[in-house]
Amino acid sequence: MFSRLERDSVDYDWGPIDNIFVAPYVPLSLISHCSEEFEICHASRGPATMAWITWDNNTRWYYWDVYNHEVVTAGRDKLSFNRWYVSAFTDSREYRTIRPGNSAPRLVRCDSATYFQRFGTRYPKACIFAETIPHLTYDLVSDYTDVSLHIWRAQNDPNDTYPMLAPDGVPWPRDKSIPGKFFPGNNTAPALHRITQELHPTLVQANSDHKNGACYGLPPYGHMYQLTGLPVPPKTPEEQCDEYPFASTLEGAGHPDPENPDFNFSVEAVKQHDNSVAGGKLIAYYVDDRILAWDAGLDQPFEVNDKFYVNIRG
């Protein structure tokens, strides 16, 4: 983590003489600490110490490395949480009566997941700032516009998407509710959770089977979508069947139960090129934002597992 003082932000209130000759030369130290015990976390490097007048004219960043330890972890990916903060104090014996100050503690989540890699390079250990709201942004004006428009419709007009909840002319039992829309500042909205072929083969297969049933009428679930799926299948090879939520999420087309699906998903024919580019962005996003795969073995899995959202930017 990095810290610095905002340039030209210091004011002195020690009296007219001391404001000039004393206060600017009082030493100030910054250092990073962990809120938890050393068995869980520690921060490296000593304090950065300068006089107030030097800090006030200095734009340099000072950094500390914060480490979580694998001794106290949870779940398949060895999750560990800690909070770090910056402490500001004076280490001059003459001015030790000056009250030290601490920044608000910030939450960090570290893991030892083994399935993150890109271009042949593996990333088996990493940490993220856990207070952010993870979200993937797709642009409407892009080289994957078909996919962006599909997701926008699924998030904002789910009743206008396929598969329908009932055939034409038959009253719908309810409205469709498709999760994953990003609302700035809201981390309680229905979210998406990542799954992988290696860790969740049954869930991934169910998502694929239901998608193919709703798009192409293919078995084993094509009969379920005979009157409610896409009226015209995608024209291959120039088109593909795009599904939202993504096939790589717990909330995909097969969720929650292949025998009693909720139909809270959408399928649409999109250009093959658009689908390929958008899929590449999703794969890169999982690595860049370190989205961990679903771990059903965690205590309170929906509270602890990583979740993410999709933001469609106009």
Side-chain angles (χ1 to χ4, degrees):
M1 52 77 53
F2 294 81
S3 184
R4 68 178 179 183
L5 266 66
E6 182 179 349
R7 187 173 185 178
D8 199 28
S9 65
V10 178
D11 292 317
Y12 306 106
D13 190 21
W14 284 21
I17 301 299
D18 286 351
N19 283 351
I20 298 175
F21 297 105
V22 179
Y25 303 99
V26 171
L28 174 72
S29 296
L30 298 184
I31 192 170
S32 180
H33 293 290
C34 291
S35 300
E36 283 70 28
E37 299 296 330
F38 183 81
E39 289 79 6
I40 297 175
C41 169
H42 79 276
S44 72
R45 299 170 65 89
T49 304
M50 290 180 286
W52 276 99
I53 191 171
T54 305
W55 280 112
D56 200 28
N57 292 279
N58 183 14
T59 60
R60 179 183 171 189
W61 290 95
Y62 294 84
Y63 74 91
W64 296 266
D65 293 322
V66 180
Y67 297 88
N68 272 26
H69 306 158
E70 286 189 344
V71 177
V72 183
T73 58
R76 175 197 62 226
D77 297 326
K78 299 181 179 179
L79 304 186
S80 178
F81 294 85
N82 83 77
R83 295 183 183 272
W84 60 266
Y85 62 93
V86 177
S87 182
F89 63 95
T90 176
D91 57 1
S92 170
R93 179 170 301 178
E94 184 178 359
Y95 299 108
R96 281 183 178 172
T97 56
I98 297 176
R99 186 177 63 184
N102 296 325
S103 68
R106 302 266 67 102
L107 182 64
V108 171
R109 195 283 323 278
C110 298
D111 70 82
S112 299
T114 60
Y115 44 84
F116 287 92
Q117 62 176 321
R118 178 182 289 179
F119 305 125
T121 301
R122 303 185 70 87
Y123 303 95
K125 300 177 188 290
C127 300
I128 62 163
F129 293 109
E131 293 171 301
T132 62
I133 302 178
H135 61 279
L136 164 64
T137 296
Y138 279 140
D139 292 299
L140 284 174
V141 181
S142 62
D143 56 351
Y144 48 86
T145 295
D146 276 11
V147 173
S148 298
L149 285 171
H150 174 210
I151 296 174
W152 188 94
R153 281 189 286 268
Q155 291 181 341
N156 296 284
D157 294 309
N159 283 358
D160 290 334
T161 64
Y162 291 95
M164 300 183 294
L165 292 184
D168 281 334
V170 177
W172 282 21
R174 60 175 178 83
D175 292 328
K176 288 175 73 171
S177 178
I178 298 179
K181 182 177 180 179
F182 173 66
F183 296 94
N186 182 359
N187 65 353
T188 63
L192 306 179
H193 301 83
R194 182 188 178 190
I195 59 176
T196 71
Q197 177 65 47
E198 179 182 2
L199 296 171
H200 314 91
T202 301
L203 296 176
V204 171
Q205 186 62 51
N207 285 346
S208 176
D209 288 342
H210 278 274
K211 177 204 71 171
N212 290 332
C215 271
Y216 303 103
L218 295 176
Y221 300 114
H223 65 283
M224 299 173 59
Y225 304 99
Q226 187 174 4
L227 301 176
T228 58
L230 281 184
V232 178
K235 301 174 183 177
T236 55
E238 63 268 22
E239 289 184 336
Q240 289 182 341
C241 179
D242 182 43
E243 74 268 41
Y244 179 82
F246 309 114
S248 57
T249 63
L250 183 69
E251 293 73 21
H255 178 79
D257 180 353
E259 300 302 323
N260 185 28
D262 259 354
F263 298 110
N264 286 323
F265 69 99
S266 173
V267 293
E268 188 170 309
V270 300
K271 295 185 185 71
Q272 183 276 333
H273 171 268
D274 293 35
N275 205 26
S276 177
V277 175
K281 283 181 63 69
L282 176 61
I283 293 171
Y285 168 75
Y286 284 149
V287 176
D288 292 342
D289 265 25
R290 193 76 180 184
I291 304 299
L292 296 175
W294 175 260
D295 184 355
L298 289 170
D299 291 338
Q300 298 181 307
F302 280 97
E303 286 75 18
V304 180
N305 270 291
D306 279 1
K307 59 184 179 181
F308 72 99
Y309 299 89
V310 182
N311 178 40
I312 302 301
R313 184 168 55 190

